[in-house]
Amino acid sequence: MIESDKILMSVRNLKKYYPIGSNFFKSSDEYVKAVDGIDIDLYAGKTLGLVGESGCGKSTFGKCIIRAIEPSAGDIKVYLDREYSIREMRKSEFRTFRRNLQMIFQDPNSSLDPRMTIRDIISEPIKANSSLSKNQTEEKVKYLMDIVGLNPNQLYRYPHAFSGGQRQRIGIARAIALRPKLIICDEPVSALDVSIQSQILNLLLDLQSEFGLAYLFIAHDLAVVKHISDRIAIMYLGQIVETASAGTVYQDPRHPYTQSLISAIPVPDPTIKNERIILSGDVPSPIAPPSGCHFHPRCPACFEPCAETAPELKETDAEHSVRCHL
Ligand code: SF4
């Protein structure tokens, strides 16, 4: 059981709605409900894996909680030297908030400025947030390059001189430069070769144990988050449909959507027969989500109340919550 006094971030009823077709003269009454009322806690030094299909709102959620985009509603509390709430945060407090929350992006090719040297890329947040001298900053950049597995002598090279995996290491060095408490990892390995993915995952685990980092690890593939997550949340059409410890999600998935994701993970042992659950249809539009349970048009277990009544996310066991009538 995770101790409640280790909560680092508490997210309540977070929503991000994008109006459609609004302009200066008319406001819209139609919205894309990218994030639709998420309640979740993140714990210090732990990893929450957030998994769902493309377009389910997981990256929007990640950007909302570091306020890279402004949520439409809800509250986020962060427990640092004291409690910070995005509802009441002053401009001066936002600096402390943002220093402690960093992001690693999916595509290391487009997230690094090709005109900047590695020294400039990694030192940018250090210069903006400290009064270190030029030499001290350079020493710190070399130290960061070393701990993420890059050669510090390559300080003055440009991103194009590095491989995809090395570029992701540069992004990680930049993200940890200010010693944040939480890093949002937005599909950080999905653009990399399989052989490189495990190296980056191991690096993230090493950095977590060295610096006590918490991660929100966003992925569309349950197999990727298996080894890095302490807890896993499954997201569908802007809502969390199941949360539990990583072990429980794999051994005892309760929501039919989670069960279908688990069934899609390849089993390396050819003697074990894995029955794949194939979902029918595409993910519905978040502009007009299905009535009742948003998953009901695709759910193999759909029964009478599902199309009428929306299920709540309810705790079924300790630390295991499911949004389903079953
Ligand atoms: Fe399926 Fe009904 Fe559960 Fe939704 S509430 S997941 S439709 S069984």
Side-chain angles (χ1 to χ4, degrees), residues 11-303:
V11 179
R12 292 293 173 265
N13 199 24
L14 194 81
K15 294 180 180 173
K16 180 65 189 174
Y17 291 179
Y18 293 99
I20 306 164
S22 63
N23 57 37
F24 185 75
F25 301 103
K26 92 173 172 56
S27 60
S28 173
D29 48 11
E30 273 199 320
Y31 296 89
V32 173
K33 295 178 177 176
V35 175
D36 194 13
I38 288 190
D39 293 321
I40 209 150
D41 293 325
L42 283 102
Y43 294 86
K46 304 283 181 190
T47 301
L48 173 70
L50 182 63
V51 181
E53 284 162 303
S54 297
C56 73
K58 52 195 190 308
S59 293
T60 306
F61 173 71
K63 286 176 188 153
C64 280
I65 66 172
I66 61 164
R67 290 188 69 194
I69 52 179
E70 207 55 40
S72 309
D75 194 18
I76 301 169
K77 287 191 167 59
V78 183
Y79 304 94
L80 300 167
D81 50 328
R82 61 181 177 77
E83 180 184 306
Y84 294 79
S85 165
I86 61 158
R87 278 193 184 150
E88 297 136 20
M89 200 177 289
R90 291 194 296 268
K91 217 173 170 186
S92 56
E93 294 174 325
F94 181 69
R95 219 176 155 80
T96 310
F97 171 85
R98 199 60 183 76
R99 266 179 70 134
N100 280 284
L101 280 76
Q102 298 290 327
M103 192 147 188
I104 300 168
F105 296 92
Q106 175 179 5
D107 184 359
N109 298 330
S110 56
S111 61
L112 304 177
D113 188 335
R115 294 160 302 180
M116 291 170 79
T117 63
I118 303 314
R119 174 189 172 281
D120 292 339
I121 290 169
I122 300 175
S123 65
E124 201 175 37
I126 303 170
K127 285 182 195 160
N129 287 280
S130 74
S131 51
L132 294 181
S133 69
K134 200 176 165 200
N135 282 346
Q136 286 171 322
T137 302
E138 190 155 313
E139 283 312 306
K140 185 154 185 183
V141 172
K142 284 182 177 172
Y143 162 74
L144 289 165
M145 288 180 75
D146 187 41
I147 56 172
V148 299
L150 293 167
N151 181 351
N153 296 328
Q154 297 176 335
L155 201 61
Y156 291 98
R157 291 197 179 179
Y158 289 86
H160 67 80
F162 293 86
S163 68
Q166 287 173 322
R167 281 195 283 255
Q168 196 53 291
R169 288 174 192 268
I170 297 165
I172 294 170
R174 184 185 156 103
I176 62 169
L178 299 176
R179 297 287 301 275
K181 295 276 188 279
L182 170 67
I183 299 182
I184 315 299
C185 307
D186 188 5
E187 307 234 21
V189 296
S190 56
L192 303 176
D193 291 342
V194 176
S195 57
I196 308 296
Q197 287 185 0
S198 57
Q199 293 176 16
I200 297 296
L201 292 176
N202 287 336
L203 171 63
L204 289 171
L205 285 170
D206 290 346
L207 294 172
Q208 181 170 54
S209 62
E210 190 162 347
F211 299 118
L213 298 167
Y215 296 133
L216 174 69
F217 194 98
I218 297 169
H220 60 268
D221 180 355
L222 256 176
V224 169
V225 296
K226 186 173 184 179
H227 298 295
I228 197 162
S229 302
D230 297 288
R231 287 189 311 138
I232 292 177
I234 309 292
M235 199 168 167
Y236 187 79
L237 268 192
Q239 297 181 327
I240 301 289
V241 296
E242 183 160 7
T243 58
S245 69
T248 304
V249 166
Y250 286 92
Q251 282 149 27
D252 185 22
R254 301 267 172 89
H255 195 282
Y257 179 56
T258 315
Q259 290 166 353
S260 75
L261 294 177
I262 298 278
S263 78
I265 300 174
V267 181
D269 184 347
T271 61
I272 298 174
K273 206 158 188 285
N274 195 21
E275 200 146 315
R276 177 92 195 262
I277 302 169
I278 310 277
L279 296 178
S280 57
D282 291 326
V283 184
S285 164
I287 301 169
S291 60
C293 171
H294 292 349
F295 187 57
H296 86 261
R298 304 175 76 196
C299 180
C302 178
F303 64 115

